[in-house]
Amino acid sequence: MIRYILRRLVISLPILFGITIITFGVIHLTPGGFTSVHMDMNPNVSPDSIAKLQELYGLDQPLPVQYVKWVSRLIRLDFGRSFLDQSPVIHKIGQRLPATLLLSGLSMLFIFMLAIPVGVYSAMHHNSRQDRVITVLTFVGYSVPTFWLALLCMLLFGVVLGWLPISGIRSVNHDFLGPMGQFWDYVSHLILPVFISAFGGLASISRYTRSNMLEVVRQDYIRTARAKGLPRSRVYYVHALKNALLPIITIIGLALPGLIGGSFIFETIFSWPGMGRLAYESALSFDYPTIMGIAVIGAVLVLLGNILADVLYASVDPRIRL
Amino acid sequence: MNISFWHKFKRKRLAVIGATVVLSLILLSLAAPLIAPCDPQAQNLELRIKPPSWAHPLGTDEYGRDVLSRMLYGGRISLSVGFVAVGISLSIGLFLGALAGYFGGWVDQVIMRTVDVVLCIPTLFLILMLIVFLGPNLLNIMVIIGLTSWTELSRLVRAEFLTLKQRDYVSAARASGARDRKIIFRHILPNALAPVFVSATFGIAGAILIESGLSFLGLGVQPPVPSWGNILTSGKDYITQAWWMTLSPGIAIFLTVLGYNLLGDSLRDILDPRLTVGDEHA
């Protein structure tokens, strides 16, 4: 197992290299040169920080030298300083990362707790009326623009009913609440963002579970289990489900870029103090070092997530030998 | 597109619904200059934030502009983003996927490892980064969405090529002296198009969602040019007093995306016999 993980880590080094090449390439896409266009007009950028940026990327030097300099700083986690407040980018991201991980972790959990039972149910009642209703609902689910749904939910639960707070991670009076009050305060701020960011995933994972189940129940060993007289529910829930769920582990890995990348839309709508909103804020203020840092760290997170998913998959599926 | 295709297509209710929605939205936005009651950018400050009426069936916005006209013209933006972005990602995905699948070896390695890398960078972050560096305008958005969404398509095409290139007719073509280019484009590609077509249909839905999401955050098509996303954004600030400003763009985006998704799913069922077999048994 350890050897497998090590091998995966070694294989991902070239991918990491590719990630840095692409992000580095993007900086140089700006028409007219990286520091000239937006920065002369940007009140947040002092001549001093332009000089620092020149130094960070070595912009006066040939491209390969610039790249090597930048990467050697990346390795030391030096992403430069933000244009907005001159604080190190790595600190800014470090402050925001926990909130993003909390939100995407919880919505992932929510997706699996709801979508898998729904998918199994749908497969068990294949082609029944319930199955059709669920199928239509899943289509609606991945066609609704989630930012619009977020708006409607904020209006309904936040403004009309007044049940839930609509923005931020805690209330203004958070520090004056008791322990239970503080806990509920966090929970109530989490409900809408978690629900909304899970929404698209709910539809696709339940659909995926359904088609996997339908695939698995056609296998010979299911017929054998049925033939030896096991009840249908036991065959479905024990024999079939286990095998149908295996590929879903890989889906966690595949869903990760979407959850992390998509976070900037949800986090912006709900003023959630996470990495996605940081990306959005830095985009609007042309805070290049922060954006670059977020892109690189986001990609590395995804890479690690994929490795984790593969390792998990390999450790639960006996057919895969390490 | 033979007779049995249309026969199966007409029998699927969801396919017909999807196609109807998609076609009517295309027609409506093509006909926008003819049927829009007002100039989408004409302001009338006496008519600020008026609810739907006979003169303005979808109400007016904060500058007194007719929401219906803005919606019709906004539809042109959304649809053109969908089509152009998918056109770009199709060209890249088809080309690279075909090369990787047909030639294999180091060509395959280079292309597929590049795909791995691009898949690692969260697409929306990549799009965000590119928009910041290149600037938000219609052309950039179409190109950026296209440039960031070809990866899955290229994997799909590669997989098709891997199986198709083993077929006898390919060997026959090669034996008769056809060049690689001819075998790829004339013999294999036409047979690999069915799943590509399905994926492109889903791709249009995805591109429209991304564009409207970007516009919603102010990073898409810039006002005063209307797009469904930015109509929704301006409505957001008046959501408690003027529901019509957010309702129509939201429903329009939803219906469009739903239409393409339904169409894509039905096409997949019809074109991929392996899946329909599973649905009829069990």
Side-chain angles (χ1 to χ4, degrees):
Chain A
M1 178 57 83
I2 291 173
R3 272 191 56 197
Y4 174 74
I5 298 176
L6 281 178
R7 204 172 69 218
R8 280 303 308 261
L9 287 174
V10 172
I11 298 175
S12 46
L13 283 178
I15 296 184
L16 211 55
F17 173 71
I19 292 171
T20 56
I21 289 276
I22 289 186
T23 14
F24 184 74
V26 170
I27 316 178
H28 292 274
L29 276 179
T30 324
F34 178 45
T35 48
S36 66
V37 184
H38 302 296
M39 291 184 200
D40 296 341
M41 315 290 288
N42 186 342
N44 288 320
V45 183
S46 63
D48 182 40
S49 50
I50 291 186
K52 280 206 179 111
L53 204 74
Q54 298 266 13
E55 193 197 319
L56 179 68
Y57 299 112
L59 288 168
D60 47 343
Q61 287 153 330
L63 276 181
V65 180
Q66 295 185 22
Y67 174 76
V68 171
K69 281 203 155 182
W70 179 63
V71 169
S72 65
R73 281 167 183 271
L74 279 190
I75 292 169
R76 282 173 277 143
L77 292 179
D78 177 3
F79 292 90
R81 285 167 183 277
S82 159
F83 284 168
L84 291 181
D85 51 12
Q86 301 300 318
S87 65
V89 168
I90 190 75
H91 286 183
K92 289 190 94 150
I93 296 177
Q95 278 169 4
R96 298 295 195 93
L97 195 56
T100 293
L101 292 180
L102 178 70
L103 187 59
S104 35
L106 282 176
S107 44
M108 197 88 100
L109 199 70
F110 181 62
I111 290 174
F112 285 104
M113 277 169 37
L114 198 65
I116 291 175
V118 168
V120 173
Y121 180 87
S122 202
M124 278 185 77
H125 302 85
H126 184 63
N127 275 344
S128 68
R129 180 188 302 214
Q130 295 96 313
D131 179 35
R132 274 162 222 262
V133 170
I134 291 173
T135 302
V136 170
L137 283 181
T138 47
F139 271 110
V140 172
Y142 47 60
S143 304
V144 170
T146 32
F147 46 92
W148 181 60
L149 187 72
L151 219 54
L152 295 183
C153 286
M154 285 162 89
L155 185 66
L156 178 64
F157 295 107
V159 181
V160 177
L161 296 173
W163 290 349
L164 294 168
I166 55 172
S167 74
I169 190 169
R170 50 191 202 177
S171 313
V172 188
N173 63 350
H174 181 83
D175 291 336
F176 303 101
L177 299 167
M180 272 318 281
Q182 286 193 343
F183 178 71
W184 170 244
D185 192 42
Y186 279 126
V187 171
S188 63
H189 279 86
L190 272 164
I191 293 175
L192 280 182
V194 167
F195 174 70
I196 295 293
S197 60
F199 201 77
L202 280 179
S204 48
I205 299 281
S206 65
R207 187 111 178 116
Y208 192 77
T209 313
R210 175 182 178 274
S211 56
N212 268 344
M213 279 295 279
L214 289 179
E215 185 70 34
V216 169
V217 294
R218 283 192 292 149
Q219 304 294 321
D220 288 340
Y221 60 84
I222 297 296
R223 199 175 312 135
T224 314
R226 289 286 282 144
K228 75 176 183 186
L230 287 179
R232 187 162 176 264
S233 60
R234 186 172 159 78
V235 174
Y236 266 81
Y237 287 123
V238 180
H239 295 84
L241 184 59
K242 252 198 299 194
N243 291 291
L245 285 187
L246 280 177
I248 293 188
I249 296 174
T250 337
I251 296 290
I252 307 180
L254 289 177
L256 214 64
L259 268 181
I260 291 184
S263 65
F264 93 84
I265 295 184
F266 311 120
E267 290 183 359
T268 307
I269 297 175
F270 290 106
S271 310
W272 188 259
M275 205 164 81
R277 186 159 150 249
L278 182 65
Y280 174 71
E281 291 163 354
S282 1
L284 284 191
S285 49
F286 298 107
D287 187 356
Y288 299 95
T290 314
I291 301 169
M292 298 283 299
I294 291 173
V296 173
I297 290 192
V300 171
L301 280 180
V302 171
L303 192 60
L304 289 177
N306 280 331
I307 296 179
L308 189 71
D310 283 353
V311 169
L312 262 176
Y313 192 102
S315 59
V316 289
D317 190 341
R319 284 169 299 190
I320 296 180
R321 305 224 337 255
L322 301 180
Chain B
M1 302 296 151
N2 46 30
I3 296 169
S4 99
F5 174 84
W6 287 114
H7 183 68
K8 284 181 186 164
F9 192 85
K10 275 186 288 185
R11 276 184 46 202
K12 287 188 94 74
R13 207 181 335 153
L14 290 181
V16 176
I17 297 176
T20 315
V21 171
V22 164
L23 278 180
S24 31
L25 283 161
I26 293 178
L27 285 179
L28 278 176
S29 47
L30 282 181
L34 302 174
I35 52 179
C38 308
D39 175 354
Q41 300 188 20
Q43 304 185 5
N44 184 348
L45 295 179
E46 283 170 19
L47 287 172
R48 296 182 69 229
I49 318 181
K50 290 280 179 279
S53 61
W54 285 112
H56 301 284
L58 297 178
T60 61
D61 68 3
E62 77 273 30
Y63 296 109
R65 297 175 297 197
D66 179 51
V67 174
L68 176 62
S69 310
R70 291 183 70 69
M71 290 292 303
L72 288 168
Y73 277 91
R76 306 183 119 197
I77 302 274
S78 295
L79 292 178
S80 44
V81 169
F83 281 105
V84 176
V86 168
I88 294 173
S89 77
L90 264 184
S91 329
I92 304 177
L94 273 179
F95 183 68
L96 292 181
L99 285 187
Y102 185 77
F103 290 111
W106 66 268
V107 180
D108 185 32
Q109 282 295 323
V110 169
I111 294 175
M112 286 302 117
R113 294 299 78 77
T114 313
V115 170
D116 288 346
V117 170
V118 177
L119 277 176
C120 263
I121 307 177
T123 314
L124 282 169
F125 276 178
L126 192 58
I127 292 175
L128 185 69
M129 193 160 75
L130 284 166
I131 284 180
V132 172
F133 285 99
L134 295 175
N137 60 52
L138 184 59
L139 180 70
N140 282 351
I141 286 162
M142 297 194 288
V143 174
I144 289 170
I145 296 179
L147 283 180
T148 49
S149 55
W150 54 271
T151 44
E152 276 172 39
L153 210 84
S154 69
R155 282 188 168 176
L156 204 76
V157 175
R158 172 179 176 269
E160 286 294 312
F161 266 71
L162 282 181
T163 41
L164 289 175
K165 75 174 177 187
Q166 313 282 351
R167 295 284 168 82
D168 290 340
Y169 69 83
V170 176
S171 316
R174 197 173 290 132
S176 69
R179 286 161 185 271
D180 285 335
R181 192 198 302 190
K182 192 173 177 192
I183 298 177
I184 293 178
F185 291 107
R186 293 282 299 281
H187 296 286
I188 305 185
L189 197 58
N191 291 299
L193 282 181
V196 171
F197 208 58
V198 173
S199 149
T201 317
F202 287 122
I204 293 177
I208 290 176
L209 265 184
I210 292 178
E211 187 278 327
S212 54
L214 289 172
S215 289
F216 180 70
L217 295 177
L219 294 165
V221 178
Q222 298 297 305
V225 178
S227 86
W228 289 343
N230 69 31
I231 299 174
L232 194 50
T233 318
S234 56
K236 184 180 65 172
D237 302 331
Y238 301 89
I239 190 163
T240 48
Q241 30 171 333
W243 51 267
W244 57 91
M245 284 166 66
T246 39
L247 199 68
S248 13
I251 290 178
I253 299 168
F254 168 62
L255 279 182
T256 313
V257 175
L258 184 67
Y260 282 101
N261 279 340
L262 286 176
L263 198 60
D265 198 69
S266 324
L267 285 180
R268 181 169 53 194
D269 282 356
I270 296 169
L271 295 173
D272 188 347
R274 278 165 301 179
L275 288 170
T276 25
V277 170
D279 264 352
E280 277 156 13
H281 286 267

